Structure formats: C-alpha cells, structure tokens
C-alpha cells in the first residue's frame, strides 16, 4: 500500500528542500566546530607556555610570574593534548594538603632565590623539566638547569645530567 502511493510533486519538493537545509545546517556546525581552538581559556600571556608544552618529554612543573607552581590549566592541557606528567596533579580537586605544601615550598624557594632548597624539591619530585615564566627563568637556570627554548613570556628548562 505504501509503495503504491505516489507522492505529489509539491510534497517531494518540500521534502527535498528540508533535507537540503538540514544538510547545510549540519555542514555549517561541523565547519565552525572544527575551527575552534582546543583550549580557548588561555590569554595572550600564556600562549608562550602552551607553545612550549609539545617540547616537554619528561615529568615537569610549571612556574608562574609570582613563583607559584599551581598552574593546573597548563598541567591539564599538557596531559590531555601531549600526555605530559607532573607530580602536582592537574585537577583542582586533587590538590591535597601535601601538594599545596609542596607548591608553597617551591614558591618560597624561588622567591627567596634558594637554589639548594629548590633543587632538593625537584630531586624529591623527580622532575626533569621546568616550564617557567620569563621572570624566573634566569634564577632557575642557575639551579643546575639548561634553558632549552623561549616562547613569549615563558621558557622551558631541563635539568643538567
């Protein structure tokens, strides 16, 4: 019975137009979505750090302008996009008191320019690379690190073997 019904020309035209509009809508959404940036949460200041993450090959920490190591968004981006690892975790909820204490020690050692304390922390955490804000790069370089690359406001340093 269904096969014997012949749709009228007007109905067929309306169905064709509907399918065309639906196809164009889906194609437009796909094109717009494809061009979006993966992590649009980063400002111009942090793009340098994002550009350096693909160069990280070993366990790392990220140091901000104030000497802070709680750069969870950078850790998350590296973990998701490039499978990087950090001893500090990348989820805000994972930050235990112990991790917060370590972050505080790192900040204190950097801001007080205490290489000995910084090196002990790095050794304890088994960190091999540091992604640092440019204001802290020179100090970290004096703590047995080699500057590998600079991008924007950030530098990547690797521990000397």
């Amino acid at each position: 019975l269904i096969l014997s019904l012949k749709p009228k020309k007007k109905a067929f035209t309306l169905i064709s137009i509907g399918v065309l509009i639906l196809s164009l809508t889906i194609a437009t959404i796909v094109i717009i979505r494809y061009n979006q940036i993966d992590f649009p949460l980063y400002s111009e200041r942090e793009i340098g750090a994002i550009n350096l993450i693909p160069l990280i090959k070993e366990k790392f920490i990220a140091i901000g302008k104030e000497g802070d190591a709680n750069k969870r968004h950078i850790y998350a981006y590296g973990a998701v996009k490039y499978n990087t690892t950090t001893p500090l975790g990348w989820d805000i909820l994972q930050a235990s008191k112990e991790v917060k204490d370590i972050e505080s020690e790192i900040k204190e050692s950097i801001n007080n320019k205490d290489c000995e304390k910084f090196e002990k922390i790095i050794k304890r955490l088994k960190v091999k690379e540091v992604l640092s804000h440019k204001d802290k790069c020179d100090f970290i370089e004096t703590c047995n690190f080699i500057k590998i690359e600079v991008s924007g406001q950030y530098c990547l340093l690797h521990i000397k073997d």
Side-chain angles (χ1 to χ4, degrees), residues 53-54 56-60 74-86 90:
I53 290 176
I56 296 172
K57 303 298 178 215
E58 300 187 52
K59 194 181 286 187
F60 83 105
I74 291 175
Y75 299 143
Y77 179 83
V80 170
K81 197 82 167 149
Y82 297 100
N83 200 28
T84 59
T85 59
T86 179
W90 54 272

Side-chain angles (χ1 to χ4, degrees), residues 135-150:
D135 292 352
K136 307 298 179 189
C137 288
D138 291 338
F139 165 70
I140 295 171
E141 200 170 10
T142 65
C143 298
N144 204 27
F145 277 83
I146 301 168
K147 195 180 291 180
I148 303 296
E149 186 80 33
V150 176

Side-chain angles (χ1 to χ4, degrees), residues 63-126:
I63 307 294
K65 185 175 185 175
E66 306 300 322
D68 52 316
N70 60 346
K71 298 298 202 179
R72 303 272 184 257
H73 55 293
I74 291 175
Y75 299 143
Y77 179 83
V80 170
K81 197 82 167 149
Y82 297 100
N83 200 28
T84 59
T85 59
T86 179
L88 302 177
W90 54 272
D91 186 3
I92 292 170
L93 300 176
Q94 289 179 341
S96 65
K97 181 176 178 353
E98 181 185 356
V99 169
K100 289 178 183 177
D101 289 345
I102 291 169
E103 290 171 350
S104 179
E105 286 180 51
I106 291 170
K107 183 175 183 174
E108 184 181 307
S109 67
I110 288 178
N111 289 336
N112 293 334
K113 299 196 182 301
D114 186 347
C115 255
E116 188 176 321
K117 184 176 183 180
F118 182 69
E119 287 177 17
K120 282 181 184 177
I121 297 166
I122 293 301
K123 189 175 237 177
R124 187 174 76 220
L125 297 175
K126 298 179 180 160

